[in-house]
Amino acid sequence: MPKGLYARSLIIIIAPMVLLQCVVTVVFMERHWALVTERLSQAVVQDIGAVADLIESNRTAGDFDEILDIAQQRLDLNISLLPPDELPPPAPKPFFNILDGILSEELTRQIGRPFWIDTVGNSKIVEIRIRLDEGILRVFAPRNSAYASNTHIFLVWMVGTSLVLLIIAVLFLRNQIRPIQALAAAAEDFGRGKPMPQEFRPRGASEVRRASVAFIQMRDRIERQIEQRTRMLNGVSHDLRTVLTRFRLQLALLGEGEDQDALNSDIDEMQRMLEGYLAFAKGEAGEDVKEIDLEPLLERYQAEAELKGKSLAYEINGDTRVTVRPDAFTRMISNLVANAIRHGSAVQTTVSHDSRWLSIAIEDDGPGIEPEQREAVFKPFVRLDTARNLDAGGTGLGLAIARDIARAHGGDILLSDSTLGGLRALIRIPA
C-alpha cells in the first residue's frame, strides 16, 4: 500500500469506481449483449429458415431466382444456391465467440440441417452455408443484423464520464490534501529548528484547521518555555559569577596559603560548572538556520588533534554543505570530537550526507563506555569517574548539551562500540 495520504485517498476513490464499472460491465453488459445478440440471431435465422422452406417447397419448379431476389430486397440477405458439395472444414473459433455460439445454437434449433458459419474477422458480413437437398444455400448476412455491435458506445460513455469525474475528484482532493501537507512540513521544520514558513496559516477542512491552530499554540508554548528557561539559566549563572568574582578578590587579599589554594580550587570548579550552565543555556537559545561547510570544520579539528599529539582522520561521502544552526551544530561536533581526542589517541570521523539523512560517526580507540551506562551519560550532571566523561572534572553537561542540539535539529545521538576498540558516537540528523 502507498504510504502517503494523497495516494491512499486516490485509491479510496478509484477502487470503488473501478469495481462498480467491472460489476456493471460483467453483470449488465454481458446479459444485455447476450440477450440482444440472441434476439437478433433468432430473427436472422428465422429469415434464413423461411427462405430455405420456400426453396424446398418450390423444388419442382427449379427456378429460385425470384425467391433469392425477394430475400435480398426484403430481408437484406445476399443468398445464392450453390451446386451440391461438401461443406468447408470448420472455421477456427474466435476468442470472444458470443455470436458464433448463439448463431450456431439457433441454426441447429430452427433449421436442423448441416451448416457452416464464418464469424471471424472484422468483416461486416457473416457467411452461413446450409446443406439442402437442392444444393448448398450460401447466405451473406450483415453482422449488425445478428449481433449487438453498438454496445461499445455505452462503454465509451461510461469510461469517459468516469474519467471526467475522476479528474474533478483528484483536483478537489489535492486542494484538501495540501493543508495537511503544509501542516506536516511546518511541524517537520519546527522539529528541525527551522523557522515556520511565513505563508503557513490554518486552512482547509475544519479538522485540519483545528490541528493547525493547535500546532501553532503548541509551538508558541514551547518557544516561551525555552525562552524562560534560557533567561533563568543566564540570570542564575550571571549572579553566581558575580559572587565567585567577589570570592576571588577576598582570597587574593588574604594572601597565599594551603587554605587559600583549596578554596581557589573549589572556586575554579564552580567556574567550570557555571561555564557549563552558560553553554547549556546557549544551546537552548534561538539561532537562525544557515548553511555551513563541514570540510573546513573537520580540517580544524584535525589540526587541533595534531597539536595535542593525536591523529584524526575524516571521510566525507556526499555533499559537504549542510543547513543547520551553525553555532549549536559546531558546539555539538566540538564536544564529541574533543571527547574522543581526550580519551583516545586515534580518531576516525565519517560523514555520510544524502537526500534524507546527515550521519556523522566519531570513533576512537579509548576505553569506551559500558553498554549499560551509555544512556545514563546523556543525563545532565552525570559523570563517569571510573570510565570516561566528556569533560574530566567538568559538570557532566557535555553529552546532554550535544544530544539536546541533535534533537533540536530533529535527530539524535547514539553510542556503540567502535571498530577502533573504543566508543562510537553516531549523529543522525534529517537532511
Side-chain angles (χ1 to χ4, degrees):
M1 294 295 294
K3 302 295 184 181
L5 176 62
Y6 184 60
R8 292 187 176 186
S9 300
L10 286 180
I11 291 179
I12 293 174
I13 293 176
I14 295 174
M17 184 179 297
V18 173
L19 182 61
L20 177 62
Q21 289 185 352
C22 292
V23 171
V24 170
T25 302
V26 172
V27 176
F28 173 74
M29 291 298 301
E30 183 180 4
R31 293 181 179 179
H32 171 75
W33 213 331
L35 181 60
V36 173
T37 301
E38 183 179 355
R39 298 291 174 81
L40 293 175
S41 298
Q42 286 178 359
V44 170
V45 173
Q46 286 175 356
D47 293 340
I48 295 174
V51 173
D53 291 342
L54 288 174
I55 291 176
E56 289 185 346
S57 62
N58 292 281
R59 68 178 62 179
T60 55
D63 187 7
F64 308 112
D65 293 340
E66 185 177 356
I67 298 175
L68 300 181
D69 291 341
I70 293 174
Q72 183 170 1
Q73 294 175 5
R74 299 292 185 181
L75 304 178
D76 196 18
L77 297 176
N78 188 353
I79 299 178
S80 58
L81 188 62
L82 303 178
D85 197 359
E86 295 293 328
L87 294 174
K93 299 293 183 181
F95 177 76
F96 189 67
N97 61 350
I98 182 173
L99 175 60
D100 190 280
I102 293 178
L103 198 57
S104 299
E105 290 178 2
E106 293 298 325
L107 287 170
T108 302
R109 184 177 64 84
Q110 295 189 36
I111 297 179
R113 289 179 176 271
F115 64 89
W116 175 88
I117 61 175
D118 182 14
T119 61
V120 182
N122 297 324
S123 174
K124 296 182 180 180
I125 301 297
V126 175
E127 182 179 0
I128 302 172
R129 297 189 185 186
I130 303 173
R131 180 185 295 169
L132 302 178
D133 296 337
E134 292 75 13
I136 302 297
L137 183 66
R138 185 174 67 180
V139 181
F140 291 103
R143 179 181 288 267
N144 56 10
S145 297
Y147 180 67
S149 59
N150 61 345
T151 314
H152 68 280
I153 297 177
F154 178 79
L155 294 176
V156 171
W157 273 101
M158 183 176 66
V159 174
T161 52
S162 299
L163 289 177
V164 172
L165 294 176
L166 181 61
I167 292 173
I168 295 174
V170 167
L171 294 177
F172 278 96
L173 180 61
R174 181 182 298 176
N175 291 332
Q176 296 300 316
I177 295 296
R178 280 177 179 172
I180 302 177
Q181 294 174 336
L183 176 60
E188 184 178 359
D189 289 343
F190 179 67
R192 296 171 58 183
K194 295 182 179 180
M196 192 171 65
Q198 301 245 344
E199 63 273 9
F200 177 76
R201 57 182 178 82
R203 59 189 179 92
S206 59
E207 293 82 2
V208 181
R209 288 175 179 267
R210 289 173 55 191
S212 300
V213 171
F215 164 72
I216 294 174
Q217 293 174 349
M218 179 194 68
R219 183 207 61 178
D220 294 339
R221 287 194 297 267
I222 293 175
E223 289 180 346
R224 284 197 303 268
Q225 182 181 8
I226 293 175
E227 185 180 356
Q228 291 171 0
R229 180 180 179 183
T230 303
R231 284 203 305 265
M232 181 192 68
L233 289 174
N234 281 327
V236 171
S237 301
H238 180 270
D239 293 341
L240 290 178
R241 181 177 289 179
T242 302
V243 175
L244 288 178
T245 303
R246 190 162 58 246
F247 284 170
R248 287 186 185 275
L249 290 174
Q250 292 175 356
L251 288 175
L253 293 175
L254 291 176
E256 297 181 358
E258 294 181 0
D259 294 337
Q260 284 80 1
D261 292 339
L263 289 173
N264 281 323
S265 178
D266 291 338
I267 291 174
D268 292 338
E269 178 71 16
M270 293 183 66
Q271 185 69 33
R272 284 194 298 270
M273 294 174 66
L274 286 176
E275 294 298 334
Y277 297 154
L278 290 174
F280 188 69
K282 190 175 181 181
E284 293 290 321
E287 182 184 358
D288 292 336
V289 176
K290 296 180 182 178
E291 189 179 74
I292 64 172
D293 196 339
L294 291 176
E295 191 164 6
L297 186 64
L298 295 177
E299 289 177 354
R300 189 182 74 190
Y301 295 145
Q302 190 177 48
E304 293 177 357
E306 292 176 357
L307 291 176
K308 297 179 181 179
K310 308 293 182 69
S311 65
L312 187 149
Y314 68 87
E315 178 184 356
I316 301 178
N317 300 316
D319 191 4
T320 62
R321 304 194 66 83
V322 294
T323 303
V324 292
R325 293 175 175 174
D327 294 339
F329 184 81
T330 303
R331 187 180 307 112
M332 173 183 64
I333 303 297
S334 299
N335 287 348
L336 295 176
V337 171
N339 187 42
I341 292 174
R342 181 176 298 109
H343 295 280
S345 58
V347 180
Q348 173 67 40
T349 302
T350 305
V351 179
S352 299
H353 188 198
D354 54 28
S355 60
R356 295 186 58 192
W357 291 96
L358 168 65
S359 300
I360 303 176
I362 302 172
E363 304 183 57
D364 61 59
D365 58 352
I369 298 177
E370 296 298 328
E372 62 271 11
Q373 294 179 318
R374 288 173 184 168
E375 193 63 29
V377 296
F378 287 109
K379 297 178 181 179
F381 312 112
V382 172
R383 299 168 59 183
L384 301 180
D385 296 331
T386 59
R388 61 185 284 169
N389 187 34
L390 183 63
D391 188 6
T395 60
L397 286 171
L399 283 176
I401 293 173
R403 173 169 272 189
D404 281 348
I405 294 173
R407 289 180 172 176
H409 285 82
D412 203 352
I413 298 178
L414 302 175
L415 300 180
S416 61
D417 293 328
S418 170
T419 56
L420 301 179
L423 184 69
R424 180 177 187 263
L426 176 62
I427 305 170
R428 280 178 61 83
I429 296 175

